[in-house]
Amino acid sequence: MGLRRGLTWWGVAAMVKGKKKTDGAKPSKVRTLVTLGSGAFLLGAAVPLAGALSTGLISIGSVGLAAPAALDQPQALNPSFLTLADAPGVDAFPTVVSSERLCRRPAGLNQAEISSATAGESLFHGSSPSTAVTQAVEALAQLGAAPWPSIHPLAAEARVPVLMYHDVLDPPEVFFDLTPADFEAHLKTILDNGLTPISPDQLVQHLRTGVALPEKPVLITFDDGYLGHYEHVYPLLQKYQVPATFFVFPGKVDGTVAGRSTLTWDQLKTMAADPLVTIASHSVTHPPDLRTLSDEDLVYEVVESKRQLEAQLGIPIEYFGYPTGHYDERVAQAVADAGYLAGFTMRESDEKFAGASESLLAIERFGQSNLQSLLEVAWGGPTAAGVMPVAADSAFNFATPVAVQKIDRDDQSFSLISGGHPVTIHANSRYQLPEMLAGSNVAGAVDGGFFSLKYLDSNVMIGPVLSQSTRQFVPGYPGETPKLNSRPLVLIAPNEVQFVPFDATRHNTLAGLAQQLPGVTDAFVAAGWLVKDGLPQPASSFGTLFDYDARRHRAFWGINTAGQPVVGVTHTMVDSVQLGELLHQAGLRDAVMLDSGASTSLAYQGDSLVGYIPRPVPHVLGLVPPEANDGSPCPLVLDQENPTTIKR
């Protein structure tokens, strides 16, 4: 039965995207005011409604919604978002690349596209990948790679530091400069302590595939293209045969950007010709914050820097370093569209290993001062060097045909649909399953998570939801989500599924979901575990779950011992403990209960498999058969004419 709550419209809060131009001054942030009847509150950071922050109001009928104020980029209200249907959730955020990007390939830009963009057209769409990037992605796919730009789970277990240096000169001019003697001492320390300097190509292959690096790897990088990189750093790299990466911005090399000493193009060509050296892009003019640029200026900085470096050096430029580390969803999209294979960032505190990066578009780095603390902890990953990793889906099999099985056992009857790739659909209202599946590539489906019953046409879920159908994240109402703690959080990625205890402090943001499972494409909160780690669950595991011990029709889904996804319903009345025992006997190693009772629904090839008309639902978990899966990390295909999926 769908759970009830008082505040039902939280789930359709939207992150309002837009641009706000200023005359050189950094725009103020925008917060959006919520009004419900006579009440008002501000979502996001707890700040007074008066003051420097701008406040905007989204009104939906008699209800106003605030966008969670999470972006560190200027925002403005966009009238196209001021409707219920056009404001289903968050699809941009400050620190994690969204699920939308997970389902796309890195894209290249031809000169015509660049020209049209400078005329004002948006570049943030899926254009065709460049040949080099396509070949690289296809080659990595041969290694069981995670979908670009996700980090492979095995790589997430490793501890690979990326060190960031700036200028090397004598005497130093600022605190982060090193003398040549200091840098040579760093190289000796690295080698004497058994660390193995690697190339960015090695690092990206590791992050994509989980292939182990040498036991104690480290990537050395330099920013900005100072003369000291040629006069001091490069000779030392040659002396010790250590590879390094240099992030260069052409405006400095050309002399159009004022600053300290700089490399010349001839010096850069000499370095680029050495296999020890990788040259990467660092924008054209090194803006202090790419997030504040217009679309046209952003495209220029990202695309033109790549073009100029490639034209001058005659080599592919596959990596981008964000100046001062600042980026967001839009900036990362521009880097992806320009055809870069990866992006590198930095932060002033809480620095992280490369495997902890949120994606290949934001590889983390450590400042050079952290070298001593990293010597004993650097680690290349859980598999032996040179050994191919176990594929991420070794414990899962999403490539088998979808099939139906009806089981009668111990006076109980239930149907299972197994096989295919699990996906979710979050519809724009409540419907019968066959209605939602019409025109899709889903072969079989079960009703999904719990939803609000406050309004008959509501699609508001209980707890956070992320779905391939919308490719948007909708947070749960903060006042309600703590009550869901310890319930099963369902997380689906292209090659795996996780069922983990929901934690409202960690899992009610898209960043939190991505941290829990990099590459997550679908997520929602289920009712309780029926089978967990191969064991049926006792009554004590259900805690305060309402009616867990009542005999009712029940819906469920999980993973069987063959690694296949399984969805199903009971045709007879059963309590949760008994159902867990039945599913364990049926071969499920993990199973969770979905919305049950009157909502219990199951459909296969367009037909309902229950002998009654269930309550319509807004959320389903479906199975896409392998013959309908084109290999995309997000294989769900929906008929855009289907009224259950189009925006109203």
Side-chain angles (χ1 to χ4, degrees):
M1 181 177 67
L3 298 180
R4 291 175 170 82
R5 72 163 183 235
L7 182 59
T8 59
W9 292 102
W10 161 261
V12 292
M15 183 73 75
V16 181
K17 300 191 293 184
K19 300 183 291 295
K20 185 174 181 180
K21 296 182 179 179
T22 63
D23 297 325
K26 185 175 181 179
S28 62
K29 297 180 182 178
V30 171
R31 297 292 190 268
T32 310
L33 181 65
V34 174
T35 63
L36 283 174
S38 60
F41 58 93
L42 191 68
L43 302 181
V47 295
L49 297 183
L53 297 175
S54 301
T55 302
L57 175 65
I58 302 176
S59 180
I60 301 176
S62 60
V63 181
L65 295 178
L71 285 179
D72 288 334
Q73 67 188 49
Q75 301 291 303
L77 290 177
N78 182 336
S80 68
F81 278 79
L82 303 186
T83 67
L84 170 62
D86 286 332
V90 175
D91 61 5
F93 42 93
T95 59
V96 177
V97 177
S98 75
S99 60
E100 172 72 18
R101 176 148 316 97
L102 178 69
C103 304
R104 301 171 60 175
R105 298 295 185 187
L109 296 173
N110 57 41
Q111 190 59 46
E113 288 173 315
I114 297 171
S115 300
S116 68
T118 57
E121 297 181 12
S122 173
L123 276 170
F124 308 115
H125 56 78
S127 50
S128 300
S130 66
T131 301
V133 171
T134 300
Q135 291 174 344
V137 171
E138 290 176 350
L140 289 170
Q142 302 292 325
L143 303 177
W148 188 91
S150 300
I151 304 296
H152 195 284
L154 288 178
E157 297 179 29
R159 296 186 297 273
V160 184
V162 180
L163 285 175
M164 175 184 62
Y165 292 85
H166 284 81
D167 204 357
V168 175
L169 73 167
D170 197 4
E173 295 184 11
V174 294
F175 74 93
F176 49 78
D177 288 342
L178 292 180
T179 67
D182 289 335
F183 179 62
E184 184 169 18
H186 275 225
L187 290 180
K188 289 180 177 178
T189 297
I190 287 170
L191 298 176
D192 290 347
N193 283 271
L195 272 69
T196 301
I198 61 173
S199 70
D201 292 342
Q202 289 174 284
L203 176 65
V204 169
Q205 176 176 296
H206 161 76
L207 295 176
R208 283 295 321 276
T209 69
V211 171
L213 291 166
E215 184 176 351
K216 298 176 71 173
V218 61
L219 176 65
I220 297 172
T221 68
F222 289 85
D223 281 9
D224 300 336
Y226 298 105
L227 178 60
H229 294 172
Y230 179 79
E231 292 186 340
H232 304 302
V233 174
Y234 180 47
L236 289 170
L237 298 180
Q238 290 180 309
K239 177 179 178 179
Y240 292 98
Q241 286 297 287
V242 168
T245 301
F246 295 84
F247 292 100
V248 178
F249 59 102
K252 181 176 177 64
V253 184
D254 286 337
T256 58
V257 177
R260 356 173 163 175
S261 63
T262 181
L263 290 162
T264 67
W265 282 114
D266 285 341
Q267 291 168 340
L268 201 57
K269 290 174 184 177
T270 298
M271 294 172 62
D274 193 316
L276 291 174
V277 172
T278 299
I279 303 298
S281 170
H282 203 39
S283 76
V284 177
T285 65
H286 200 289
D289 192 339
L290 292 174
R291 299 173 298 181
T292 65
L293 302 184
S294 68
D295 286 353
E296 293 76 17
D297 289 343
L298 173 60
V299 168
Y300 172 78
E301 293 289 343
V302 172
V303 174
E304 182 63 14
S305 59
K306 188 178 197 301
R307 188 197 67 78
Q308 289 188 26
L309 288 168
E310 290 181 340
Q312 289 281 354
L313 304 179
I315 59 173
I317 301 297
E318 296 181 329
Y319 305 111
F320 185 88
Y322 301 105
T324 64
H326 294 313
Y327 78 100
D328 60 12
E329 173 77 5
R330 186 176 66 104
V331 174
Q333 180 66 68
V335 170
D337 284 344
Y340 294 96
L341 195 57
F344 289 75
T345 186
M346 57 169 284
R347 58 177 72 203
E348 294 181 359
S349 61
D350 191 28
E351 294 163 312
K352 300 178 184 297
F353 292 103
S357 305
E358 48 199 35
S359 82
L360 288 174
L361 291 170
I363 298 174
E364 299 278 357
R365 296 191 288 170
F366 287 93
Q368 65 199 33
S369 61
N370 290 280
L371 176 59
Q372 286 294 329
S373 65
L374 297 169
L375 295 176
E376 297 304 319
V377 296
W379 177 50
T383 57
V387 176
M388 291 298 295
V390 177
D393 61 355
S394 61
F396 299 90
N397 187 348
F398 296 161
T400 58
V402 176
V404 178
Q405 180 183 17
K406 188 172 184 291
I407 300 176
D408 296 303
R409 179 178 297 155
D410 298 334
D411 298 325
Q412 295 293 337
S413 178
F414 54 101
S415 287
L416 305 176
I417 306 176
S418 61
H421 191 295
V423 299
T424 65
I425 297 175
H426 187 197
N428 58 21
S429 186
R430 292 167 51 189
Y431 303 92
Q432 297 294 334
L433 261 62
E435 291 180 88
M436 274 194 274
L437 302 183
S440 76
N441 62 343
V442 173
V446 67
D447 66 280
F450 290 81
F451 57 94
S452 171
L453 290 178
K454 179 73 172 179
Y455 298 98
L456 294 179
D457 61 351
S458 170
N459 72 344
V460 177
M461 303 297 294
I462 304 301
V465 61
L466 171 67
S467 175
Q468 288 184 37
S469 67
T470 62
R471 296 184 183 177
Q472 291 183 315
F473 172 78
V474 182
Y477 170 50
E480 173 184 86
T481 52
K483 299 176 183 178
L484 304 177
N485 282 341
S486 79
R487 299 281 179 87
L489 172 65
V490 175
L491 298 168
I492 301 173
N495 295 313
E496 67 175 302
V497 169
Q498 286 187 10
F499 304 99
V500 299
F502 177 72
D503 181 343
T505 64
R506 298 174 52 210
H507 297 142
N508 201 34
T509 66
L510 188 53
L513 296 184
Q515 184 179 26
Q516 180 70 52
L517 179 58
V520 62
T521 61
D522 300 78
F524 66 96
V525 179
W529 270 278
L530 299 168
V531 181
K532 186 176 183 181
D533 298 328
L535 296 175
Q537 294 301 286
S540 59
S541 70
F542 294 95
T544 59
L545 180 64
F546 177 73
D547 264 2
Y548 80 89
D549 54 351
R551 295 176 63 83
R552 308 169 60 195
H553 288 120
R554 297 195 179 271
F556 54 86
W557 98 279
I559 303 293
N560 64 20
T561 54
Q564 299 169 306
V566 178
V567 301
V569 299
T570 63
H571 301 295
T572 48
M573 304 294 186
V574 64
D575 65 67
S576 303
V577 175
Q578 185 180 12
L579 177 58
E581 294 170 348
L582 291 171
L583 296 179
H584 174 253
Q585 295 170 18
L588 272 77
R589 72 182 191 216
D590 288 287
V592 295
M593 187 161 60
L594 304 175
D595 195 1
S596 295
S599 298
T600 303
S601 312
L602 189 70
Y604 180 68
Q605 294 184 345
D607 296 324
S608 173
L609 298 187
V610 296
Y612 49 85
I613 299 177
R615 175 194 291 127
V617 297
H619 187 256
V620 302
L621 193 143
L623 303 175
V624 175
E627 63 270 18
N629 187 344
D630 64 0
S632 167
C634 294
L636 176 65
V637 176
L638 295 172
D639 183 352
Q640 294 305 307
E641 299 302 316
N642 186 325
T644 70
T645 58
I646 62 174
K647 296 178 179 179
R648 295 183 301 176

